[in-house]
Amino acid sequence: MRGVWEAPSPTRMPAARQIIGRDGPMLGAWRLFAGLVGGHALASGMVAAMGSMLPLVGMPRGEAVSLAILLALIAYAPTCLAMLASGRPWRDGLALFATAGALIALASMF
Amino acid sequence: MAQFGDGFRQAMHWTHTWLGVVLGIVMFAVFWMGTLTIFAPEIDRWMIPETRIVHAKREISYDLLLSRLPPDAASSDYINFVVPDERRPTIGFSYRGADGTFSDHELDPVTGRPLAVTDSRAGTGFIYPFHLSLTIEWQNLGEWIVGLAALAMLILLISGLVIHRKVVTEFFVFRPRRKARRATLDLHNLSSLLGLPFYFLMPFSGLLIFAFVYLPWGIAEPFGGDLAKAAAAISGDYDPGARTGRAATLASVDAMKREAEAMWSAAEGVPVETNLVRILNHGDDSAVVYFRNTFPRDRVVLSEYVAVFNGNTGQVLQDFAKPPIGHASSWVQGAHFMQFGHWPLRWLYFIGGLGGCVMIATGMLFWLSSREGKLARFSPGHRTVEALTIGGVTGIIIATCAFLVANRLLPPGATLWADTRAELEVHAFWLVWFATFLHAASLRAQAWAQQCWAIAILAATAVTLNAVTTGEHVTAALSDGYLAVAGVDTVLVITAGAAAWSALKLRPASKPLPVPAAHTVE
């Protein structure tokens, strides 16, 4: 199955060893970096974009930012988990940064 | 081909294991100190005996207190009073001097005069800041580390739920008499599931409380990059601007306080009281007076109302009430602070906090025990985690007890190399904690029992020293109405008993293991 983390073999080798062996330090570091930093950028972008755009439909700006903070913090941990579990970490990590960048750009436009 | 569930579960297993091992000690330290922070004001009463005052509701004249300001506070840009209550019976008074440093004082609630109190950071000055920032102030680094630990905890909880497919079954399984490894895992599962909603709430609300630190750009951007504007819109903060240099007399703060409480009570339909009185730019014609109900007794939500008055005319400049989403957000934050007046729930929080400590500690113990009997036991990585686990679990409890003992042993006015008495207490905490790591690294598994004995001895010593130095042993404190002191002493006695019991259980076998007889070759 593509797009998910596949077990390399049906052996009973401990999961941690399988993943370390499969990823190597570079890919493992990328997963962590993309999850933490990309997740942070995504959360910041969400707050900025929602805080800038929701007032356009009548929500007070302070309320828009309060709502965005709650939602962004709820999204942060699952984003990190998704990066750590991703079967295509390079692609998914880059997609995460691209989404965060798009949200930041969107926020800057309004 | 592997199934989706298996691959995902493997990834969650890896994440759960290694995130727990790497950040377990930080999480334990934050959870332990957070658990103590629930009773930080009570710890203050224990460590600063001069503030052991039975609270009685009385009118306080802030106009009178302001007329007695110290000379360097008269032109301060920040003067703060915290209104006394049953948990903090003194009037908290602090101000920023001309050199930018803060001075903190405790005022007698009856006379309004400063109390000569023991120089100690105690619960609200050390244990609480340790919980939120590990007392690392440089560039908010401590808050970022604690934030990372909070995020890791959320990830660990989710990944733990994925790993343990049979969560309902595991909840009802605890086999303490089975092998240590099995019993440790059972206790880890049981403690995790028992307080699961609480463990989700605590890290999430912690992140929310410090959202302005963690997401400053995102919050400021909708306000043109101005974080102060964002704080004003979200929290009702008020910036009076710089001092103009034109001297002016402050109007009656007591009258403004009455007006603020009348406005809030009218809006709420029930009496609402302020518990924070702040004067900004005192003595200047730009002065403002700021009131807030930061920690209401009868509701969870924090800082629901903020009223700001022109200091010279007494006119209302701002009447801020939390809007619906801000109210919901403040409710979540208030559920973290737990400052509302609900004693049974406060004790449940305390038990929940200790349950969190058990969950984290048993997770790390399981990692260690699952590698015992293998070559990994002698690897540097295993030895490091072992020392960190022992020092991080029993070590921080020893250090906390040493902090209390140092508080009762250090003489008033003690100094060492320009460090004040309060700083020496904190040094005692750090030195003892560091020593427990060295002890654990050198003695390995034997250190558990010895460190439990150290906890028992130090906790019992703290109770004894409190009785000897203040005369307020448990029964005397109870008869005098000092429930906070009696409560801290009781918890210390229970801690000593539990630690001694644990030490006896963890005692290494006195007899060496029998050596198997050699087989003879027929």
Side-chain angles (χ1 to χ4, degrees):
Chain A
M1 179 183 284
R2 290 176 65 82
V4 296
W5 189 300
E6 291 182 16
S9 73
T11 62
R12 289 195 171 273
M13 198 196 314
R17 199 170 298 171
Q18 282 182 21
I19 289 163
I20 291 168
R22 181 192 164 106
D23 263 9
M26 187 71 179
L27 199 52
W30 169 249
R31 285 179 189 280
L32 279 175
F33 176 77
L36 289 175
V37 181
H40 185 264
L42 185 76
S44 286
M46 265 180 81
V47 174
M50 287 178 71
S52 302
M53 295 175 70
L54 286 177
L56 300 178
V57 291
M59 186 180 274
R61 201 168 290 273
E63 284 284 85
V65 172
S66 291
L67 177 65
I69 291 169
L70 282 165
L71 295 178
L73 290 176
I74 289 170
Y76 197 175
T79 304
C80 291
L81 275 168
M83 270 315 302
L84 289 165
S86 167
R88 293 171 170 172
W90 292 113
R91 184 202 66 177
D92 292 349
L94 290 173
L96 179 61
F97 277 107
T99 309
L103 285 171
I104 290 166
L106 200 63
S108 306
M109 286 163 61
F110 291 95
Chain B
M1 191 175 71
Q3 296 300 304
F4 170 80
D6 290 337
F8 183 70
R9 195 166 292 118
Q10 274 188 346
M12 292 299 100
H13 192 276
W14 182 90
T15 303
H16 194 80
T17 302
W18 292 104
L19 210 54
V21 169
V22 172
L23 285 169
I25 294 309
V26 180
M27 282 188 283
F28 188 92
V30 172
F31 237 82
W32 169 249
M33 288 303 196
T35 304
L36 297 182
T37 298
I38 295 164
F39 290 114
E42 285 70 27
I43 295 171
D44 285 353
R45 302 292 81 74
W46 193 94
M47 296 183 78
I48 309 173
E50 299 81 2
T51 62
R52 295 175 185 178
I53 298 167
V54 177
H55 174 68
K57 196 159 176 61
R58 50 176 72 86
E59 275 300 313
I60 293 166
S61 170
Y62 293 92
D63 292 331
L64 181 67
L65 297 178
L66 286 163
S67 69
R68 295 178 186 162
L69 283 178
D72 58 335
S75 57
S76 172
D77 63 346
Y78 179 99
I79 296 172
N80 200 57
F81 293 103
V82 180
V83 179
D85 59 29
E86 63 169 6
R87 299 183 70 202
R88 301 170 192 80
T90 58
I91 305 167
F93 166 54
S94 58
Y95 66 92
R96 183 161 43 207
D99 59 353
T101 56
F102 281 91
S103 299
D104 296 310
H105 303 273
E106 304 284 349
L107 306 184
D108 188 310
V110 179
T111 65
R113 301 283 180 193
L115 291 165
V117 296
T118 302
D119 182 24
S120 174
R121 293 189 185 164
T124 46
F126 176 66
I127 289 173
Y128 170 55
F130 190 102
H131 167 61
L132 59 94
S133 70
L134 310 174
T135 66
I136 303 170
E137 291 173 3
W138 180 77
Q139 298 287 322
N140 294 331
L141 179 65
E143 284 159 8
W144 280 96
I145 294 171
V146 173
L148 183 65
L151 180 68
M153 183 140 185
L154 288 172
I155 293 170
L156 283 164
L157 289 169
I158 299 169
S159 57
L161 283 173
V162 173
I163 295 168
H164 299 285
R165 279 172 286 186
K166 299 172 182 172
V167 283
V168 178
T169 313
E170 286 173 349
F171 181 74
F172 294 101
V173 176
F174 177 46
R175 292 156 287 186
R177 297 191 188 285
R178 294 282 292 272
K179 284 195 298 185
R181 183 181 163 193
R182 183 71 250 173
T184 306
L185 185 59
D186 283 350
L187 187 55
H188 180 65
N189 294 337
L190 180 68
S191 57
S192 307
L193 288 167
L194 206 58
L196 196 63
F198 179 74
Y199 305 146
F200 267 110
L201 173 68
M202 286 298 112
F204 177 74
S205 53
L207 289 170
L208 188 61
I209 288 164
F210 284 100
F212 273 73
V213 173
Y214 302 139
L215 302 168
W217 180 86
I219 294 172
E221 179 62 20
F223 295 90
D226 189 342
L227 207 56
K229 269 189 189 170
I234 294 167
S235 312
D237 285 5
Y238 190 88
D239 181 9
R243 297 175 75 89
T244 61
R246 292 186 293 273
T249 309
L250 200 64
S252 171
V253 173
D254 293 336
M256 294 182 222
K257 179 171 174 285
R258 281 192 294 274
E259 191 177 343
E261 289 175 345
M263 287 191 308
W264 300 342
S265 301
E268 194 70 24
V270 291
V272 181
E273 294 180 341
T274 185
N275 64 348
L276 186 142
V277 179
R278 184 173 292 164
I279 296 100
L280 305 173
N281 289 349
H282 183 261
D284 194 77
D285 76 350
S286 62
V288 299
V289 184
Y290 177 106
F291 301 94
R292 204 169 69 182
N293 70 334
T294 315
F295 296 127
R297 302 289 100 197
D298 57 348
R299 60 199 68 197
V300 179
V301 66
L302 298 179
S303 303
E304 207 173 1
Y305 297 104
V306 179
V308 183
F309 293 78
N310 182 312
N312 308 308
T313 63
Q315 286 181 324
V316 178
L317 296 175
Q318 175 182 291
D319 179 17
F320 177 87
K322 283 266 164 76
I325 299 169
H327 200 277
S329 178
S330 286
W331 192 95
V332 176
Q333 295 174 46
H336 187 110
F337 275 98
M338 215 282 138
Q339 294 293 314
F340 43 93
H342 198 306
W343 284 101
L345 194 55
R346 188 162 289 125
W347 280 104
L348 274 178
Y349 263 56
F350 186 73
I351 293 166
L354 291 179
C357 292
V358 169
M359 173 184 71
I360 298 163
T362 49
M364 299 195 68
L365 278 171
F366 180 70
W367 188 90
L368 288 169
S369 62
S370 63
R371 280 152 184 82
E372 278 176 358
K374 299 177 186 173
L375 282 177
R377 186 167 186 268
F378 301 100
S379 69
H382 186 276
R383 293 194 65 156
T384 305
V385 175
E386 187 180 48
L388 287 174
T389 303
I390 299 169
V393 174
T394 47
I396 196 168
I397 304 173
I398 293 173
T400 309
C401 291
F403 180 59
L404 298 178
V405 169
N407 170 264
R408 293 292 79 221
L409 280 181
L410 285 169
T415 55
L416 183 68
W417 298 315
D419 283 343
T420 62
R421 188 187 183 285
E423 287 165 335
L424 292 178
E425 283 178 12
V426 173
H427 294 341
F429 172 90
W430 288 109
L431 280 173
V432 170
W433 198 15
F434 182 65
T436 61
F437 285 110
L438 293 181
H439 177 252
S442 55
L443 287 185
R444 303 199 64 184
Q446 289 179 22
W448 281 113
Q450 293 182 8
Q451 295 205 4
C452 283
W453 279 122
I455 294 168
I457 292 165
L458 283 167
T461 306
V463 175
T464 311
L465 284 172
N466 175 51
V468 171
T469 56
T470 68
E472 296 289 349
H473 50 80
V474 176
T475 49
L478 280 174
S479 63
D480 291 344
Y482 303 148
L483 294 179
V485 179
V488 174
D489 268 354
T490 306
V491 169
L492 281 170
V493 169
I494 294 168
T495 304
W501 181 82
S502 305
L504 288 171
K505 287 282 179 188
L506 290 165
R507 188 174 44 185
S510 53
K511 288 182 183 175
L513 290 172
V515 179
H519 291 281
T520 52
V521 178
E522 298 276 330

